[in-house]
Structure formats: structure tokens, C-alpha cells
Amino acid sequence: MLCRLCDNQIRDEGVAIFTNEFLKYKALKGLTLGNNRITGEGGRYLANAIQRSKAIYYVGLAANGITFSGGKSLAAALKENTVLKSLWLHDNELTDDNAADFAEVIRSSTTIHQLWFINNKMTVNGVRLLASSLQYNPSITMLCMKDNLLSAEEVKEFENETRMVF
């Protein structure tokens, strides 16, 4: 079962209530909360739920305004989660500092297969951190970095890494 709660004006307070409930449902395999109003605090609530979940393999958190603190919490949760395979964090406010946290996830997780960071605030430095971590993890099939803060010339630096999409 996939739970889709996109475009519902859900805020951090709603996520706090919702995450306590969704962990009770073993049939819930995916969660999409795109285009709501979840920020850093809501990201922390979701991270806690992801960390404890034994069933959810897909989470989509596009266009929520998730900032550094929420991204940091989500990366920490992925280090503990052994089920989640795909995390969509496009159209948020993640930065190079978050890239460092997710690079650690890529190096250590054999569960996660896809990370989507389209249209965040990462520069070539953050993308380099993520790219360099791929050598330690053959289970990553896609690292999507489209529309971050890289020039066309900087994107060329990664053209040999087939698992990265720009």
C-alpha cells in the first residue's frame, strides 16, 4: 500500500501526529508527502519514523522546504534503516552540508538504491562529496542531481559516473 498525501498543506505539526500513526500499518510500503509545508522540524519527525520503520521502502518528500536540519535528520535515519530503497528530496533547500551527511549514507548503506536531489541548493563541492562516495556502494543505482547550483562545465566533471543523472 502506498499512502499519497500530496498537496494537502500538511505542516510540521501534522507530520508529528501522522508519523506516530503510520508506523502501526505493516502494509504501508510507500509514503508520498510532496508539495506540503514540511520544514526542518517535520523532516525530523519523518526521519524518526523512517528510522523505526520496518516496512516502508519508498518515501517522497518533494517540494516541502526541507532545510539543513531536516536533511541532516533524514540522513541520520537512513544510516539506521535497513528497508528504505528510494528517497525523493527534490525541490527542497538541501545544501552542501547535507551532501556530506548523505555521502556518509551512500558509503555505509547497502539498502538505499536511489536518492533524488533535484533542484536543491548543492554546489559542485557537495556533488563531489556524493560522487566520491559512490565508489564504496555498488547498490546505488541512481543519484539524481538535476538543477542544483552547478554550471554546465561543472556537470561535465561527472559525465563518467553513469549512476549520476544531471
Side-chain angles (χ1 to χ4, degrees):
M1 180 171 103
L2 175 63
C3 180
R4 291 189 176 131
L5 295 172
C6 299
D7 302 308
N8 283 298
Q9 305 296 317
I10 297 171
R11 297 178 184 272
D12 295 336
E13 304 82 27
V15 171
I17 295 164
F18 175 75
T19 53
N20 285 329
E21 291 301 313
F22 85 72
L23 287 173
K24 297 175 184 175
Y25 300 99
K26 303 295 184 217
L28 184 61
K29 303 296 182 195
L31 176 63
T32 305
L33 288 166
N35 202 29
N36 283 291
R37 295 188 178 175
I38 303 165
T39 63
E41 185 179 351
R44 286 190 296 277
Y45 293 132
L46 285 164
N48 185 36
I50 289 168
Q51 185 175 353
R52 296 180 321 181
S53 173
K54 303 297 183 221
I56 296 175
Y57 64 87
Y58 168 83
V59 174
L61 298 172
N64 275 294
I66 295 174
T67 58
F68 170 75
S69 63
K72 187 168 192 63
S73 297
L74 289 164
L78 290 180
K79 291 178 192 174
E80 303 294 324
N81 181 287
T82 59
V83 179
L84 194 71
K85 296 190 180 317
S86 183
L87 179 61
W88 287 58
L89 287 167
H90 60 84
D91 294 298
N92 283 292
E93 303 292 323
L94 304 178
T95 66
D96 288 350
D97 291 329
N98 294 117
D101 295 322
F102 281 102
E104 284 183 44
V105 169
I106 291 170
R107 281 192 295 274
S108 63
S109 173
T110 57
T111 306
I112 195 83
H113 295 289
Q114 297 181 349
L115 289 167
W116 297 73
F117 295 112
I118 301 167
N119 196 27
N120 277 278
K121 308 288 186 218
M122 294 182 197
T123 70
V124 69
N125 295 325
V127 176
R128 281 183 187 134
L129 287 170
L130 293 166
S132 68
S133 65
L134 287 172
Q135 67 182 317
Y136 302 103
N137 191 339
S139 68
I140 297 287
T141 59
M142 182 174 296
L143 180 58
C144 195
M145 301 303 305
K146 290 180 182 180
D147 299 325
N148 275 275
L149 304 176
L150 283 79
S151 69
E153 192 64 33
E154 289 169 328
V155 168
K156 288 180 184 178
E157 180 180 328
F158 307 100
E159 65 188 13
N160 291 329
E161 180 48 76
T162 59
R163 296 177 290 169
M164 292 184 80
V165 177
F166 288 91

